[in-house]
Amino acid sequence: MKEHLKHPIFSIISDIVSTENLESYVIGGFVRDIFLKRESKDIDVVVIGSGIELAQKVAAKAGNPKVSIFKNFGTAMLKFKDLEIEFVGARKESYNRNSRKPIVENGSLEDDQKRRDFTINALALSLHKDNFGELLDPFGGIDDLNNKIIKTPMDPMITFSDDPLRMMRAIRFATQLNFKISDVTFEAIKENKERIHIISKERIIEELNKIVMSKKPSIGFKLLDESGLLQIIFPEFHKLKGRETRNGISHKDNFYHTLEVLDQLVPHSDNLWLRWSALLHDIAKPNTKKFIKGIGWTFHAHNFVGEKMVPRIFKNMKLPLNEKMKFVQKMVLLHMRPIVLAQEEVTDSAVRRLLFDAGDDIDELMKLCEADITSKNEEKVKRFLDNFQLVRRKLKEVEEKDAVRNFQPPIDGQEIIDTFNLSPCKTIGDIKLAIKDAILDGVIPNEREAAYQFMIEKGKELGLTPVINKKNK
Ligand code: ATP
Ligand code: MG
């Protein structure tokens, strides 16, 4: 394994621990990722002794980078070139039932490996010159890497009860790496699901977002569902599950549909918030579902209701309540617009209105909408996608011609007031709206001159007389 420890930081650490005759190892994710040929930027180093002291000695030899010390945790972190290295003394942990904060004592390497969450995360490589690069793998982590298995080094019932965040981590790693969680380990997650309540929402969402950002997020959501965790951490999403049949007519299962949409979006976007928009686009379907005789299942206004549901969901899950949330709301609200357009005749006017409503987010909206086309009927999918190409072409044409993406009215309220010598009143708004509609409907071009003439005409229609006929610049 020596060839993977070529970075100069390892020889600095090795020199120090060999001279002082200390035992020290690279451990955890960095070692796992060597075997998986994944890149990793953070390194964990464990030493039998004091992590803080070792970090300080390493820093002194490495040109004195800043050492951040976390006394309470007995750890120290330093940044060296492109890497972040965390030093910690090997420890033994025991837990109290109501908290995920362990009671910590000094321990051996094996004690330290035992407290790790999964066998694949418990691999260690020695840094001492006597056995530099030697792999220490007491729990069969390499076999599990080869067999693509996530399992705990110790009894999973205890591992998960001690720190229930590990249940989220298990599902997150299974998703990111496309590994299977061993049966015994998965059973223990089911048994311990209620323990997730002692974990902070912030920690949970961090893991959930890693699932959302993975290559195939549906793997994680299905595991969350199967384990029972989904219902606890994201009940609104769990509610999408199931199909109902009436008079022989069934609606689709919106849980699996949504996951398909999210998976389909992945290759087109790594915008976390667009991925959240995919997750939430049909979130109001269970609440708006109705069976109407002669028509079948309807989900009337589920986009409006969905838009209204987003803030509460974001608040409950400790997602940011800022412009990211507003973006998700907008996507949920508009998610059917391009597809409706593609089903009907694609008129310039409809395209202009869509551009006006979506503004700069039009490209993201189109990606979401395209991913939303899921059907077993290949013919149907092809027809939709073809129509979509037409919508995209029209969008481009109209945008080039009329520049309505970030529409600013060419005539403002003040100018209407001045032209007709009005005091503030509703008529001003009416004229503004008429100008906007005329532009969006293609009655007049998106230009000042035309808008000015249109305003004069409109004013006359409303019985107004222009008092100053200027500003025709
Ligand atoms: P990634 O960096 O890709 O998220 P990682 O495995 O490196 O994955 P970190 O959170 O960086 O995860 O943790 C580093 C190592 O610390 C892990 O490999 C594991 O050995 C250990 N570890 C982290 N969190 C826990 C936990 N909750 N319980 C037990 N061990 C943990
Ligand atoms: Mg890591």
Side-chain angles (χ1 to χ4, degrees), residues 27-30 32-33 38 42 44 95 100 115-118 121-122 163 165-166 169 172-173 176 210:
I27 193 162
F30 185 83
R32 175 199 68 217
D33 287 343
R38 278 168 110 216
D42 53 327
D44 292 288
Y95 283 80
R100 64 180 285 264
R115 74 174 179 90
R116 304 267 158 184
D117 48 4
F118 307 112
N121 285 347
D163 177 2
L165 183 68
R166 294 167 180 161
R169 284 175 57 92
R172 187 257 286 188
F173 284 120
Q176 285 180 323
K210 287 184 180 174

PDB file of all heavy atoms in Angstrom, residues 27-30 32-33 38 42 44 95 100 115-118 121-122 163 165-166 169 172-173 176 210, ligand 1:
ATOM      1  N   ILE A  27      -6.381   6.073   8.920  1.00  0.00           N
ATOM      2  CA  ILE A  27      -7.520   5.193   9.207  1.00  0.00           C
ATOM      3  C   ILE A  27      -8.806   5.742   8.588  1.00  0.00           C
ATOM      4  O   ILE A  27      -8.895   6.943   8.281  1.00  0.00           O
ATOM      5  CB  ILE A  27      -7.661   5.043  10.746  1.00  0.00           C
ATOM      6  CG1 ILE A  27      -8.608   3.901  11.114  1.00  0.00           C
ATOM      7  CG2 ILE A  27      -8.115   6.353  11.384  1.00  0.00           C
ATOM      8  CD1 ILE A  27      -8.433   3.438  12.554  1.00  0.00           C
ATOM      9  N   GLY A  28      -9.768   4.864   8.370  1.00  0.00           N
ATOM     10  CA  GLY A  28     -11.116   5.321   7.986  1.00  0.00           C
ATOM     11  C   GLY A  28     -11.286   5.578   6.499  1.00  0.00           C
ATOM     12  O   GLY A  28     -10.706   4.892   5.647  1.00  0.00           O
ATOM     13  N   GLY A  29     -12.085   6.604   6.203  1.00  0.00           N
ATOM     14  CA  GLY A  29     -12.515   6.888   4.832  1.00  0.00           C
ATOM     15  C   GLY A  29     -11.388   6.981   3.816  1.00  0.00           C
ATOM     16  O   GLY A  29     -11.519   6.496   2.695  1.00  0.00           O
ATOM     17  N   PHE A  30     -10.262   7.573   4.232  1.00  0.00           N
ATOM     18  CA  PHE A  30      -9.152   7.740   3.286  1.00  0.00           C
ATOM     19  C   PHE A  30      -8.624   6.379   2.818  1.00  0.00           C
ATOM     20  O   PHE A  30      -8.350   6.181   1.630  1.00  0.00           O
ATOM     21  CB  PHE A  30      -8.027   8.554   3.948  1.00  0.00           C
ATOM     22  CG  PHE A  30      -6.891   8.881   3.020  1.00  0.00           C
ATOM     23  CD1 PHE A  30      -6.965   9.968   2.163  1.00  0.00           C
ATOM     24  CD2 PHE A  30      -5.738   8.093   2.998  1.00  0.00           C
ATOM     25  CE1 PHE A  30      -5.914  10.265   1.288  1.00  0.00           C
ATOM     26  CE2 PHE A  30      -4.680   8.382   2.139  1.00  0.00           C
ATOM     27  CZ  PHE A  30      -4.770   9.480   1.290  1.00  0.00           C
ATOM     28  N   ARG A  32     -10.274   3.452   2.937  1.00  0.00           N
ATOM     29  CA  ARG A  32     -11.362   2.838   2.147  1.00  0.00           C
ATOM     30  C   ARG A  32     -11.320   3.358   0.702  1.00  0.00           C
ATOM     31  O   ARG A  32     -11.375   2.582  -0.254  1.00  0.00           O
ATOM     32  CB  ARG A  32     -12.699   3.196   2.798  1.00  0.00           C
ATOM     33  CG  ARG A  32     -13.924   2.729   2.025  1.00  0.00           C
ATOM     34  CD  ARG A  32     -15.160   3.509   2.475  1.00  0.00           C
ATOM     35  NE  ARG A  32     -15.065   4.900   2.062  1.00  0.00           N
ATOM     36  CZ  ARG A  32     -15.482   5.941   2.775  1.00  0.00           C
ATOM     37  NH1 ARG A  32     -16.023   5.781   3.958  1.00  0.00           N
ATOM     38  NH2 ARG A  32     -15.345   7.168   2.310  1.00  0.00           N
ATOM     39  N   ASP A  33     -11.159   4.684   0.574  1.00  0.00           N
ATOM     40  CA  ASP A  33     -11.218   5.279  -0.758  1.00  0.00           C
ATOM     41  C   ASP A  33     -10.002   4.930  -1.615  1.00  0.00           C
ATOM     42  O   ASP A  33     -10.084   4.960  -2.841  1.00  0.00           O
ATOM     43  CB  ASP A  33     -11.415   6.799  -0.655  1.00  0.00           C
ATOM     44  CG  ASP A  33     -12.838   7.147  -0.209  1.00  0.00           C
ATOM     45  OD1 ASP A  33     -13.713   6.261  -0.302  1.00  0.00           O
ATOM     46  OD2 ASP A  33     -13.069   8.282   0.228  1.00  0.00           O
ATOM     47  N   ARG A  38     -11.352   6.033  -5.174  1.00  0.00           N
ATOM     48  CA  ARG A  38     -12.097   7.294  -5.124  1.00  0.00           C
ATOM     49  C   ARG A  38     -11.149   8.336  -4.584  1.00  0.00           C
ATOM     50  O   ARG A  38     -10.281   8.038  -3.776  1.00  0.00           O
ATOM     51  CB  ARG A  38     -13.237   7.213  -4.106  1.00  0.00           C
ATOM     52  CG  ARG A  38     -14.491   6.574  -4.575  1.00  0.00           C
ATOM     53  CD  ARG A  38     -15.343   6.334  -3.346  1.00  0.00           C
ATOM     54  NE  ARG A  38     -16.525   7.174  -3.266  1.00  0.00           N
ATOM     55  CZ  ARG A  38     -17.019   7.667  -2.138  1.00  0.00           C
ATOM     56  NH1 ARG A  38     -16.399   7.474  -0.987  1.00  0.00           N
ATOM     57  NH2 ARG A  38     -18.125   8.376  -2.144  1.00  0.00           N
ATOM     58  N   ASP A  42      -9.917  14.463   2.778  1.00  0.00           N
ATOM     59  CA  ASP A  42      -9.641  14.504   4.218  1.00  0.00           C
ATOM     60  C   ASP A  42      -9.036  13.194   4.701  1.00  0.00           C
ATOM     61  O   ASP A  42      -9.416  12.107   4.285  1.00  0.00           O
ATOM     62  CB  ASP A  42     -10.871  14.925   5.040  1.00  0.00           C
ATOM     63  CG  ASP A  42     -12.092  14.081   4.734  1.00  0.00           C
ATOM     64  OD1 ASP A  42     -12.224  13.659   3.577  1.00  0.00           O
ATOM     65  OD2 ASP A  42     -12.898  13.837   5.657  1.00  0.00           O
ATOM     66  N   ASP A  44      -7.696  10.970   8.083  1.00  0.00           N
ATOM     67  CA  ASP A  44      -7.722  10.804   9.538  1.00  0.00           C
ATOM     68  C   ASP A  44      -6.507  10.004   9.966  1.00  0.00           C
ATOM     69  O   ASP A  44      -6.234   8.938   9.422  1.00  0.00           O
ATOM     70  CB  ASP A  44      -8.995  10.068   9.959  1.00  0.00           C
ATOM     71  CG  ASP A  44     -10.219  10.923   9.717  1.00  0.00           C
ATOM     72  OD1 ASP A  44     -10.403  11.896  10.461  1.00  0.00           O
ATOM     73  OD2 ASP A  44     -10.966  10.648   8.751  1.00  0.00           O
ATOM     74  N   TYR A  95     -21.161   4.248  25.601  1.00  0.00           N
ATOM     75  CA  TYR A  95     -22.261   5.192  25.375  1.00  0.00           C
ATOM     76  C   TYR A  95     -23.298   5.146  26.485  1.00  0.00           C
ATOM     77  O   TYR A  95     -23.524   4.140  27.132  1.00  0.00           O
ATOM     78  CB  TYR A  95     -22.954   4.862  24.054  1.00  0.00           C
ATOM     79  CG  TYR A  95     -22.180   5.314  22.858  1.00  0.00           C
ATOM     80  CD1 TYR A  95     -21.109   4.557  22.381  1.00  0.00           C
ATOM     81  CD2 TYR A  95     -22.498   6.494  22.211  1.00  0.00           C
ATOM     82  CE1 TYR A  95     -20.385   4.962  21.273  1.00  0.00           C
ATOM     83  CE2 TYR A  95     -21.780   6.911  21.099  1.00  0.00           C
ATOM     84  CZ  TYR A  95     -20.725   6.138  20.639  1.00  0.00           C
ATOM     85  OH  TYR A  95     -20.018   6.541  19.539  1.00  0.00           O
ATOM     86  N   ARG A 100     -25.758  10.747  21.838  1.00  0.00           N
ATOM     87  CA  ARG A 100     -24.759  10.085  20.999  1.00  0.00           C
ATOM     88  C   ARG A 100     -23.366  10.533  21.379  1.00  0.00           C
ATOM     89  O   ARG A 100     -22.406  10.241  20.687  1.00  0.00           O
ATOM     90  CB  ARG A 100     -25.070  10.256  19.509  1.00  0.00           C
ATOM     91  CG  ARG A 100     -25.031  11.633  18.971  1.00  0.00           C
ATOM     92  CD  ARG A 100     -25.354  11.603  17.483  1.00  0.00           C
ATOM     93  NE  ARG A 100     -24.239  11.091  16.688  1.00  0.00           N
ATOM     94  CZ  ARG A 100     -23.340  11.859  16.078  1.00  0.00           C
ATOM     95  NH1 ARG A 100     -23.382  13.160  16.187  1.00  0.00           N
ATOM     96  NH2 ARG A 100     -22.379  11.325  15.357  1.00  0.00           N
ATOM     97  N   ARG A 115     -14.731   1.036  17.384  1.00  0.00           N
ATOM     98  CA  ARG A 115     -15.727   2.096  17.543  1.00  0.00           C
ATOM     99  C   ARG A 115     -16.135   2.708  16.202  1.00  0.00           C
ATOM    100  O   ARG A 115     -16.981   3.587  16.139  1.00  0.00           O
ATOM    101  CB  ARG A 115     -15.194   3.191  18.472  1.00  0.00           C
ATOM    102  CG  ARG A 115     -14.145   4.055  17.802  1.00  0.00           C
ATOM    103  CD  ARG A 115     -13.703   5.236  18.634  1.00  0.00           C
ATOM    104  NE  ARG A 115     -12.686   5.999  17.929  1.00  0.00           N
ATOM    105  CZ  ARG A 115     -12.946   7.014  17.109  1.00  0.00           C
ATOM    106  NH1 ARG A 115     -14.167   7.406  16.893  1.00  0.00           N
ATOM    107  NH2 ARG A 115     -11.955   7.658  16.505  1.00  0.00           N
ATOM    108  N   ARG A 116     -15.529   2.228  15.126  1.00  0.00           N
ATOM    109  CA  ARG A 116     -15.839   2.744  13.789  1.00  0.00           C
ATOM    110  C   ARG A 116     -17.189   2.203  13.335  1.00  0.00           C
ATOM    111  O   ARG A 116     -17.628   1.144  13.778  1.00  0.00           O
ATOM    112  CB  ARG A 116     -14.754   2.334  12.796  1.00  0.00           C
ATOM    113  CG  ARG A 116     -13.375   2.769  13.233  1.00  0.00           C
ATOM    114  CD  ARG A 116     -13.014   4.099  12.660  1.00  0.00           C
ATOM    115  NE  ARG A 116     -11.970   4.757  13.454  1.00  0.00           N
ATOM    116  CZ  ARG A 116     -11.532   5.975  13.188  1.00  0.00           C
ATOM    117  NH1 ARG A 116     -12.015   6.659  12.172  1.00  0.00           N
ATOM    118  NH2 ARG A 116     -10.610   6.518  13.953  1.00  0.00           N
ATOM    119  N   ASP A 117     -17.823   2.903  12.419  1.00  0.00           N
ATOM    120  CA  ASP A 117     -19.191   2.505  12.086  1.00  0.00           C
ATOM    121  C   ASP A 117     -19.291   1.238  11.243  1.00  0.00           C
ATOM    122  O   ASP A 117     -20.112   0.371  11.518  1.00  0.00           O
ATOM    123  CB  ASP A 117     -19.983   3.670  11.453  1.00  0.00           C
ATOM    124  CG  ASP A 117     -19.243   4.399  10.346  1.00  0.00           C
ATOM    125  OD1 ASP A 117     -18.126   3.967   9.981  1.00  0.00           O
ATOM    126  OD2 ASP A 117     -19.782   5.406   9.836  1.00  0.00           O
ATOM    127  N   PHE A 118     -18.447   1.122  10.209  1.00  0.00           N
ATOM    128  CA  PHE A 118     -18.574  -0.038   9.323  1.00  0.00           C
ATOM    129  C   PHE A 118     -17.206  -0.674   9.090  1.00  0.00           C
ATOM    130  O   PHE A 118     -16.183  -0.001   9.191  1.00  0.00           O
ATOM    131  CB  PHE A 118     -19.217   0.377   7.988  1.00  0.00           C
ATOM    132  CG  PHE A 118     -20.503   1.118   8.224  1.00  0.00           C
ATOM    133  CD1 PHE A 118     -20.624   2.467   7.928  1.00  0.00           C
ATOM    134  CD2 PHE A 118     -21.571   0.461   8.829  1.00  0.00           C
ATOM    135  CE1 PHE A 118     -21.796   3.150   8.223  1.00  0.00           C
ATOM    136  CE2 PHE A 118     -22.746   1.132   9.127  1.00  0.00           C
ATOM    137  CZ  PHE A 118     -22.855   2.483   8.827  1.00  0.00           C
ATOM    138  N   ASN A 121     -14.943   1.078   6.932  1.00  0.00           N
ATOM    139  CA  ASN A 121     -14.425   2.341   7.460  1.00  0.00           C
ATOM    140  C   ASN A 121     -13.461   2.115   8.619  1.00  0.00           C
ATOM    141  O   ASN A 121     -13.086   3.065   9.296  1.00  0.00           O
ATOM    142  CB  ASN A 121     -15.581   3.222   7.946  1.00  0.00           C
ATOM    143  CG  ASN A 121     -16.346   3.842   6.793  1.00  0.00           C
ATOM    144  OD1 ASN A 121     -15.877   3.815   5.658  1.00  0.00           O
ATOM    145  ND2 ASN A 121     -17.503   4.395   7.085  1.00  0.00           N
ATOM    146  N   ALA A 122     -13.099   0.862   8.859  1.00  0.00           N
ATOM    147  CA  ALA A 122     -12.237   0.549  10.011  1.00  0.00           C
ATOM    148  C   ALA A 122     -10.843   0.097   9.566  1.00  0.00           C
ATOM    149  O   ALA A 122     -10.065  -0.409  10.362  1.00  0.00           O
ATOM    150  CB  ALA A 122     -12.896  -0.534  10.875  1.00  0.00           C
ATOM    151  N   ASP A 163     -25.076   5.149  18.479  1.00  0.00           N
ATOM    152  CA  ASP A 163     -25.084   6.367  17.666  1.00  0.00           C
ATOM    153  C   ASP A 163     -25.980   6.139  16.451  1.00  0.00           C
ATOM    154  O   ASP A 163     -25.549   5.616  15.424  1.00  0.00           O
ATOM    155  CB  ASP A 163     -23.650   6.704  17.216  1.00  0.00           C
ATOM    156  CG  ASP A 163     -23.635   7.917  16.300  1.00  0.00           C
ATOM    157  OD1 ASP A 163     -24.716   8.498  16.055  1.00  0.00           O
ATOM    158  OD2 ASP A 163     -22.546   8.290  15.824  1.00  0.00           O
ATOM    159  N   LEU A 165     -27.053   7.975  14.213  1.00  0.00           N
ATOM    160  CA  LEU A 165     -26.700   8.611  12.941  1.00  0.00           C
ATOM    161  C   LEU A 165     -26.095   7.575  11.992  1.00  0.00           C
ATOM    162  O   LEU A 165     -26.180   7.693  10.770  1.00  0.00           O
ATOM    163  CB  LEU A 165     -25.693   9.756  13.146  1.00  0.00           C
ATOM    164  CG  LEU A 165     -25.336  10.515  11.864  1.00  0.00           C
ATOM    165  CD1 LEU A 165     -26.524  11.308  11.334  1.00  0.00           C
ATOM    166  CD2 LEU A 165     -24.145  11.444  12.069  1.00  0.00           C
ATOM    167  N   ARG A 166     -25.499   6.545  12.566  1.00  0.00           N
ATOM    168  CA  ARG A 166     -24.875   5.510  11.745  1.00  0.00           C
ATOM    169  C   ARG A 166     -25.884   4.815  10.827  1.00  0.00           C
ATOM    170  O   ARG A 166     -25.508   4.286   9.790  1.00  0.00           O
ATOM    171  CB  ARG A 166     -24.190   4.482  12.648  1.00  0.00           C
ATOM    172  CG  ARG A 166     -23.010   5.076  13.406  1.00  0.00           C
ATOM    173  CD  ARG A 166     -22.539   4.169  14.519  1.00  0.00           C
ATOM    174  NE  ARG A 166     -21.403   4.740  15.240  1.00  0.00           N
ATOM    175  CZ  ARG A 166     -21.028   4.358  16.457  1.00  0.00           C
ATOM    176  NH1 ARG A 166     -21.698   3.402  17.093  1.00  0.00           N
ATOM    177  NH2 ARG A 166     -19.983   4.908  17.040  1.00  0.00           N
ATOM    178  N   ARG A 169     -25.905   6.909   7.907  1.00  0.00           N
ATOM    179  CA  ARG A 169     -24.627   6.728   7.196  1.00  0.00           C
ATOM    180  C   ARG A 169     -24.616   5.405   6.423  1.00  0.00           C
ATOM    181  O   ARG A 169     -24.114   5.340   5.306  1.00  0.00           O
ATOM    182  CB  ARG A 169     -23.453   6.808   8.178  1.00  0.00           C
ATOM    183  CG  ARG A 169     -23.142   8.235   8.620  1.00  0.00           C
ATOM    184  CD  ARG A 169     -22.054   8.315   9.696  1.00  0.00           C
ATOM    185  NE  ARG A 169     -20.775   7.717   9.342  1.00  0.00           N
ATOM    186  CZ  ARG A 169     -19.748   8.358   8.772  1.00  0.00           C
ATOM    187  NH1 ARG A 169     -19.852   9.643   8.489  1.00  0.00           N
ATOM    188  NH2 ARG A 169     -18.626   7.728   8.502  1.00  0.00           N
ATOM    189  N   ARG A 172     -26.575   5.954   3.404  1.00  0.00           N
ATOM    190  CA  ARG A 172     -25.857   6.891   2.530  1.00  0.00           C
ATOM    191  C   ARG A 172     -24.711   6.180   1.798  1.00  0.00           C
ATOM    192  O   ARG A 172     -24.553   6.323   0.583  1.00  0.00           O
ATOM    193  CB  ARG A 172     -25.328   8.056   3.380  1.00  0.00           C
ATOM    194  CG  ARG A 172     -24.705   9.166   2.571  1.00  0.00           C
ATOM    195  CD  ARG A 172     -23.210   9.160   2.604  1.00  0.00           C
ATOM    196  NE  ARG A 172     -22.688   9.632   3.878  1.00  0.00           N
ATOM    197  CZ  ARG A 172     -21.401   9.867   4.081  1.00  0.00           C
ATOM    198  NH1 ARG A 172     -20.517   9.672   3.114  1.00  0.00           N
ATOM    199  NH2 ARG A 172     -20.974  10.259   5.257  1.00  0.00           N
ATOM    200  N   PHE A 173     -23.921   5.389   2.526  1.00  0.00           N
ATOM    201  CA  PHE A 173     -22.805   4.680   1.861  1.00  0.00           C
ATOM    202  C   PHE A 173     -23.342   3.649   0.866  1.00  0.00           C
ATOM    203  O   PHE A 173     -22.803   3.502  -0.233  1.00  0.00           O
ATOM    204  CB  PHE A 173     -21.894   3.992   2.882  1.00  0.00           C
ATOM    205  CG  PHE A 173     -20.968   4.939   3.608  1.00  0.00           C
ATOM    206  CD1 PHE A 173     -21.012   5.072   4.992  1.00  0.00           C
ATOM    207  CD2 PHE A 173     -20.047   5.704   2.911  1.00  0.00           C
ATOM    208  CE1 PHE A 173     -20.159   5.964   5.665  1.00  0.00           C
ATOM    209  CE2 PHE A 173     -19.191   6.593   3.563  1.00  0.00           C
ATOM    210  CZ  PHE A 173     -19.250   6.712   4.939  1.00  0.00           C
ATOM    211  N   GLN A 176     -24.217   5.803  -2.169  1.00  0.00           N
ATOM    212  CA  GLN A 176     -23.064   6.377  -2.882  1.00  0.00           C
ATOM    213  C   GLN A 176     -22.226   5.301  -3.560  1.00  0.00           C
ATOM    214  O   GLN A 176     -21.717   5.494  -4.661  1.00  0.00           O
ATOM    215  CB  GLN A 176     -22.144   7.115  -1.896  1.00  0.00           C
ATOM    216  CG  GLN A 176     -22.678   8.457  -1.434  1.00  0.00           C
ATOM    217  CD  GLN A 176     -21.717   9.128  -0.459  1.00  0.00           C
ATOM    218  OE1 GLN A 176     -21.080   8.450   0.366  1.00  0.00           O
ATOM    219  NE2 GLN A 176     -21.608  10.442  -0.532  1.00  0.00           N
ATOM    220  N   LYS A 210     -26.540  14.050   0.975  1.00  0.00           N
ATOM    221  CA  LYS A 210     -25.527  13.233   0.280  1.00  0.00           C
ATOM    222  C   LYS A 210     -26.210  12.151  -0.547  1.00  0.00           C
ATOM    223  O   LYS A 210     -25.744  11.791  -1.628  1.00  0.00           O
ATOM    224  CB  LYS A 210     -24.549  12.623   1.281  1.00  0.00           C
ATOM    225  CG  LYS A 210     -23.594  13.677   1.840  1.00  0.00           C
ATOM    226  CD  LYS A 210     -22.543  13.082   2.754  1.00  0.00           C
ATOM    227  CE  LYS A 210     -21.637  14.209   3.257  1.00  0.00           C
ATOM    228  NZ  LYS A 210     -20.676  13.753   4.271  1.00  0.00           N
TER     229      LYS A 210
HETATM  230  P1  ATP B   1     -16.984  10.824   3.628  1.00  0.00           P
HETATM  231  O1  ATP B   1     -15.810  11.689   4.002  1.00  0.00           O
HETATM  232  O2  ATP B   1     -17.058  10.382   2.239  1.00  0.00           O
HETATM  233  O3  ATP B   1     -18.264  11.385   4.126  1.00  0.00           O
HETATM  234  P2  ATP B   1     -15.938   9.088   5.652  1.00  0.00           P
HETATM  235  O4  ATP B   1     -16.092   7.627   5.922  1.00  0.00           O
HETATM  236  O5  ATP B   1     -14.570   9.604   5.461  1.00  0.00           O
HETATM  237  O6  ATP B   1     -16.837   9.438   4.415  1.00  0.00           O
HETATM  238  P3  ATP B   1     -16.145  10.936   7.796  1.00  0.00           P
HETATM  239  O7  ATP B   1     -17.368  11.534   8.385  1.00  0.00           O
HETATM  240  O8  ATP B   1     -15.144  11.791   7.120  1.00  0.00           O
HETATM  241  O9  ATP B   1     -16.672   9.824   6.800  1.00  0.00           O
HETATM  242  O10 ATP B   1     -15.476  10.073   8.940  1.00  0.00           O
HETATM  243  C1  ATP B   1     -14.180   9.534   8.862  1.00  0.00           C
HETATM  244  C2  ATP B   1     -14.135   8.201   9.558  1.00  0.00           C
HETATM  245  O11 ATP B   1     -14.551   8.343  10.921  1.00  0.00           O
HETATM  246  C3  ATP B   1     -15.076   7.157   8.991  1.00  0.00           C
HETATM  247  O12 ATP B   1     -14.499   6.473   7.906  1.00  0.00           O
HETATM  248  C4  ATP B   1     -15.315   6.254  10.167  1.00  0.00           C
HETATM  249  O13 ATP B   1     -14.233   5.381  10.386  1.00  0.00           O
HETATM  250  C5  ATP B   1     -15.334   7.221  11.329  1.00  0.00           C
HETATM  251  N1  ATP B   1     -16.675   7.708  11.637  1.00  0.00           N
HETATM  252  C6  ATP B   1     -17.278   8.836  11.203  1.00  0.00           C
HETATM  253  N2  ATP B   1     -18.492   8.986  11.727  1.00  0.00           N
HETATM  254  C7  ATP B   1     -18.691   7.924  12.525  1.00  0.00           C
HETATM  255  C8  ATP B   1     -19.760   7.489  13.369  1.00  0.00           C
HETATM  256  N3  ATP B   1     -20.879   8.197  13.467  1.00  0.00           N
HETATM  257  N4  ATP B   1     -19.593   6.350  14.063  1.00  0.00           N
HETATM  258  C9  ATP B   1     -18.462   5.640  13.964  1.00  0.00           C
HETATM  259  N5  ATP B   1     -17.430   5.987  13.201  1.00  0.00           N
HETATM  260  C10 ATP B   1     -17.529   7.103  12.487  1.00  0.00           C
END
